[in-house]
Amino acid sequence: MAGTGFLGIIVVGLLVFIGSTHAQLQMNFYANSCPKAEKIVQDYVKEHIPNAPSLAASFIRMHFHDCFVRGCDASVLLNSTSGQSPEKNAIPNQTLRGFDFIDRVKSLLEAECPGIVSCADVLTLIARDSVVTIGGPFWKVPTGRRDGVISNVTEANTNIPGPTSNFTTLLKLFSNQGLDSKDLVLLSGAHTIGLAHCPSFSSRLYNSTGPGGVDPTLDSEYAANLKANKCKTPNDNTTKVEMDPGSRNTFDLSYYTLLTKRRGLFQSDAALTTNSTSSALINQLLSNPLKFFYAEFAKSMEKMGRVNVKTGSEGEIRKRCAVVNS
């Protein structure tokens, strides 16, 4: 009995330890140390995103890419550290933009409360507030993240799901972060906004197994249109294409509708229809009101925003988001 009691203490202690990794993320973490912090972020976003709504997609993508490498610690914002090539240089991150926007918000926060608000929280809040500003879903953002001091290009290339990934690969990369197939489908729904560059999907138009090199899982009419009017050559590296044609700045369900019509732009989009569980969720989303998608998407965003966060004395609070403190 004594041994059982001792084991119970160990188990309870372990659970407390595990829980503590998230315990220091809390709503209004800066209420006392920098009470205006979240309003400063929100006001700047509300002022500027209406003039550049496509940045909403950029920030949610940046947040996603950040969390998949060493957790949500703003390592994606760093320039070279210790002579090491940073995450910014990774193939999936070479088309990220909005770093200067984040720097401007951070400078406002530093002027208000020097050394208090982390870049990791700034990025997480900007991602949420920019999506809300274009009319998309709201989700809770508990704060208290701290900033990482390591940024590695290889880790980013390895851990960030790519546009050519199949379902098995996607699920493995999500599972590595504690996310499941439901999160995979819901977070992919962010492809309802934003643009893609031709290289991320041109292999489906020119180097696949169907007639003319077209991927047979891609709707032939859609493929023909893309080849004739968008990515006119296999080597086009500059043209941008709407991921959700006709409503790229509207956070809606049309992305999922396109998937059912074999018009998902990426191979990774089409992959969501190759699994019975993910296909069932897509159909469930399409058979319910938009608010159902918003509520489910919010849950997955909140879950992702907690991935491997640094809290307490881990990491640091960077003074400038692109460089570690000296």
Side-chain angles (χ1 to χ4, degrees):
M1 290 295 289
T4 303
F6 179 67
L7 180 61
I9 292 171
I10 292 176
V11 170
V12 170
L14 182 61
L15 289 173
V16 169
F17 174 75
I18 292 170
S20 71
T21 60
H22 292 324
Q24 294 174 67
L25 279 192
Q26 55 186 271
M27 298 303 296
N28 303 309
F29 178 85
Y30 300 108
N32 296 320
S33 58
C34 191
K36 295 180 182 177
E38 293 193 26
K39 190 173 189 306
I40 287 171
V41 176
Q42 186 181 68
D43 287 351
Y44 192 88
V45 169
K46 282 186 173 180
E47 180 183 356
H48 295 283
I49 289 297
N51 300 322
S54 64
L55 277 176
S58 299
F59 290 133
I60 200 167
R61 181 169 174 244
M62 190 185 293
H63 177 38
F64 176 90
H65 286 198
D66 181 46
C67 292
F68 268 65
V69 186
R70 292 184 172 266
C72 310
D73 68 348
S75 54
V76 73
L77 304 179
L78 282 172
N79 294 334
S80 179
T81 57
S82 304
Q84 194 166 244
S85 185
E87 292 171 34
K88 281 182 179 179
N89 293 346
I91 293 168
N93 291 337
Q94 289 172 2
T95 52
L96 290 179
R97 61 197 186 92
F99 295 105
D100 54 339
F101 188 105
I102 291 169
D103 289 342
R104 287 196 293 272
V105 173
K106 174 64 171 172
S107 67
L108 293 174
L109 291 165
E110 284 297 299
E112 178 72 19
C113 319
I116 298 296
V117 183
S118 70
C119 296
D121 279 340
V122 171
L123 173 54
T124 308
L125 288 165
I126 287 175
R128 191 272 310 278
D129 291 346
S130 60
V131 169
V132 170
T133 298
I134 66 165
F138 172 90
W139 61 92
K140 294 177 182 176
V141 175
T143 43
R145 295 166 190 79
R146 289 172 65 84
D147 299 324
V149 296
I150 296 172
S151 185
N152 184 296
V153 64
T154 304
E155 293 177 351
N157 281 325
T158 300
N159 293 310
I160 297 171
T164 61
S165 300
N166 60 26
F167 188 84
T168 301
T169 300
L170 290 170
L171 189 57
K172 182 179 185 297
L173 292 171
F174 270 68
S175 297
N176 289 347
Q177 308 302 330
L179 302 171
D180 57 27
S181 60
K182 185 176 183 180
D183 300 313
L184 167 57
V185 173
L186 289 163
L187 294 175
S188 294
H191 288 175
T192 185
I193 57 174
L195 302 166
H197 290 77
C198 289
S200 60
F201 61 89
S202 60
S203 62
R204 301 189 76 198
L205 303 178
Y206 293 99
N207 299 313
S208 195
T209 58
V214 175
D215 184 344
T217 67
L218 184 63
D219 176 74
S220 58
E221 185 179 325
Y222 183 41
N225 179 272
L226 288 170
K227 292 179 79 167
N229 300 307
K230 298 293 183 180
C231 308
K232 297 179 181 180
T233 72
N235 303 315
D236 184 336
N237 293 319
T238 56
T239 301
K240 299 174 184 177
V241 178
E242 296 180 355
M243 288 191 283
D244 185 356
S247 64
R248 69 180 176 91
N249 289 325
T250 305
F251 215 101
D252 55 23
L253 287 165
S254 58
Y255 164 76
Y256 295 113
T257 301
L258 291 172
L259 293 188
T260 65
K261 296 179 177 179
R262 298 190 301 124
R263 292 192 169 203
L265 193 58
F266 298 155
Q267 186 63 50
S268 58
D269 294 324
L272 301 182
T273 65
T274 65
N275 174 270
S276 58
T277 302
S278 59
S279 292
L281 179 54
I282 290 168
N283 291 330
Q284 182 184 16
L285 292 168
L286 289 172
S287 62
N288 277 282
L290 182 62
K291 65 181 181 180
F292 176 76
F293 168 47
Y294 276 19
E296 295 300 306
F297 180 82
K299 292 175 189 174
S300 287
M301 285 301 301
E302 290 169 23
K303 186 176 174 182
M304 186 187 77
R306 290 180 175 273
V307 167
N308 294 325
V309 293
K310 294 169 177 63
T311 58
S313 60
E314 296 177 283
E316 64 180 19
I317 305 297
R318 281 182 228 143
K319 295 181 177 66
R320 293 169 53 214
C321 290
V323 294
V324 297
N325 298 339
S326 57

